[in-house]
Amino acid sequence: MQTSSLSARDLDVIWHPYTQMQTAPAPIGIVRGEGALLFDENNNSYIDATSSWWVNIHGHAHPHIAQQLAAQALQLEHCIFAGYTHPPAVNLAERLLPLLPSNQRRVFYSDNGSTAIEVALKMAIQYWDNKGTPKHKILAFHNAYHGDTFGAMSVSGRSVFTRVFDDRLFDVQFIEVPTAENISQIINNITALQPEDIAAFVFEPLLQGSGGMIMYDAAAFEQLLQFCTANDILLIADEVMTGFGRTGKNFAMEYLQTPPDIICLSKGLTGGAMALGVTTSTAAVYEAFLSSDKLKTLFHGHSFTANPLACTAALASLDLFTDPACKANRERIHEKHAVFLEELRKSPIIKHPRLLGTILAFEIVTANADGYTNALADDLHRFFRARRVMLRPLGNTLYILPPYCITDEQLNEVYHSIRELLTTLSPS
């Protein structure tokens, strides 16, 4: 019988992500979840105010998802996806494509957001090679974050996340996020790069998540997308974080007129129940790989491609996502956030308070530079842990990104904990 706590046992054997193991506090042992709450081994409840890394959109241990998974596990848990198929994969593709921009025609499965991006980059580069007009340059935004594998790091902004590996990453042309003031200059800069040599532009539409919850202008962005399309630059929309209602609409690209050629999805895709990645493409992209020449095949795959359990979790999540109650909850959260946003605007130690859909974000004023390495992050983390509210700051950027099932009372607790924080930080 185990006598040590889960937390203590963890410290002997686990290496945690994005964690300096020498200085980080011991992890909290979580043993169960229900709705927007997680419970530790002493049955203390914690409000999951960031959806456990932005994936858990419907709440923890949702009975509908759990029941569908249990039934599928008794029927088919896995099957090789090269030369074979199965109902969950086909059903999911058939249900997912109609929710996306109308030009999307094919679904390619992978394991997570980073691999969805890797697939998209390989599709885009090989697309031009298969057509006999090779192009290899990639366009991306400064401060972008697209994942932690090498291709995904390459198209991410050079930062603390990529620092050690910068000289191992392939070359990418980085541009600023567009505004009404700089869009003309951005287009001039791309023109100077010879757009006929650019294979693709990869972007997080309207919201850069790990870059600091940076929200940018749809109108100027639309001009940039139109320019890229006119110059035969494939558009890769990274909706890994923004997809499935986070920005208010089902997908962030719905705020725009120009559809992408390729879309990457993960995180909320399965409601947080299983790891799954999806890369969708237009018919034109797909057809460029059709040939009697085997060398034009997309040579990419994963052992767990289209895992039936993961696809089943995504189907169950879609049941919940397409229920009108889900949209009503997202609107309710947005309205609650909007009221709290006005309160935050009055604080002298808050800057850039902003809101998009269910995401509320702001920076706390410090003497140091804004960013992921701002020393305030550790203090914020400890503060909210002590109040059993799961808020994981990005440096001095604090954000709320809750499951859609969070109650008004739970949201009020989150807001109250932030008020407490601001009181402790304000000069007496």
Side-chain angles (χ1 to χ4, degrees), residues 103-106 123 261-263 279-283 285-286:
N103 67 339
Q104 298 299 295
R105 290 290 186 272
R106 296 285 169 167
M123 280 181 180
D261 300 283
I262 298 171
I263 299 176
T279 306
T280 69
S281 81
T282 62
V285 170
Y286 171 74

Side-chain angles (χ1 to χ4, degrees), residues 188-321:
N188 289 339
N189 291 344
I190 299 172
T191 301
L193 294 171
Q194 297 178 309
E196 64 273 14
D197 294 333
I198 298 174
F201 170 35
V202 56
F203 53 85
E204 301 158 275
L206 302 186
L207 174 70
Q208 295 183 291
S210 294
M213 295 297 164
I214 299 168
M215 301 174 187
Y216 61 96
D217 180 58
F221 187 42
E222 176 64 32
Q223 293 181 58
L224 177 57
L225 296 181
Q226 290 179 6
F227 172 83
C228 290
T229 297
N231 284 274
D232 291 328
I233 298 171
L234 293 178
L235 302 178
I236 302 173
D238 178 353
E239 291 246 25
V240 169
M241 182 253 193
T242 56
F244 301 100
R246 276 298 171 203
T247 65
K249 295 186 182 293
N250 286 350
F251 297 92
M253 289 302 296
E254 293 177 21
Y255 287 99
L256 301 151
Q257 298 300 313
T258 303
D261 300 283
I262 298 171
I263 299 176
C264 302
L265 302 170
S266 188
K267 290 197 183 291
L269 175 62
T270 67
M274 300 281 288
L276 182 64
V278 156
T279 306
T280 69
S281 81
T282 62
V285 170
Y286 171 74
E287 288 165 3
F289 290 78
L290 302 180
S291 174
S292 58
D293 182 356
K294 292 288 184 67
L295 294 180
K296 291 191 174 182
T297 303
L298 179 60
F299 289 106
H300 190 98
H302 300 262
S303 300
F304 288 93
T305 294
N307 173 260
L309 292 175
C311 291
T312 296
L315 284 164
S317 180
L318 280 182
D319 291 340
L320 302 172
F321 179 68

Side-chain angles (χ1 to χ4, degrees), residues 65-124:
I65 297 176
Q67 289 159 9
Q68 296 297 306
L69 276 174
Q72 182 61 43
L74 292 171
Q75 189 155 353
L76 178 67
E77 83 297 338
H78 191 55
C79 173
I80 183 174
F81 208 62
Y84 298 85
T85 192
H86 51 77
V90 176
N91 292 341
L92 179 56
E94 289 176 340
R95 288 188 61 189
L96 186 59
L97 286 172
L99 297 176
L100 298 174
S102 60
N103 67 339
Q104 298 299 295
R105 290 290 186 272
R106 296 285 169 167
V107 170
F108 192 102
Y109 290 108
S110 61
D111 296 353
N112 54 61
S114 295
T115 55
I117 290 290
E118 299 284 347
V119 171
L121 293 171
K122 291 173 77 171
M123 280 181 180

Side-chain angles (χ1 to χ4, degrees), residues 138-167:
I138 302 292
L139 200 63
F141 282 138
H142 288 295
N143 298 310
Y145 174 85
H146 295 289
D148 292 333
T149 51
F150 268 79
M153 282 197 297
S154 293
V155 294
S156 298
R158 301 300 177 254
S159 67
V160 62
F161 303 127
T162 67
R163 179 186 58 84
V164 176
F165 314 104
D166 283 351
D167 61 351

Side-chain angles (χ1 to χ4, degrees), residues 382-422:
R382 283 190 293 268
F383 181 92
F384 290 112
R385 271 177 52 133
R387 284 149 184 83
R388 299 209 294 271
V389 173
M390 286 182 165
L391 287 174
R392 192 174 188 277
L394 298 165
N396 63 317
T397 299
L398 196 58
Y399 65 92
I400 310 170
L401 196 154
Y404 304 146
C405 65
I406 195 168
T407 66
D408 287 350
E409 292 75 19
Q410 290 164 345
L411 270 176
N412 288 337
E413 286 188 51
V414 176
Y415 300 150
H416 179 68
S417 69
I418 293 173
R419 290 188 193 100
E420 279 193 276
L421 171 73
L422 299 181

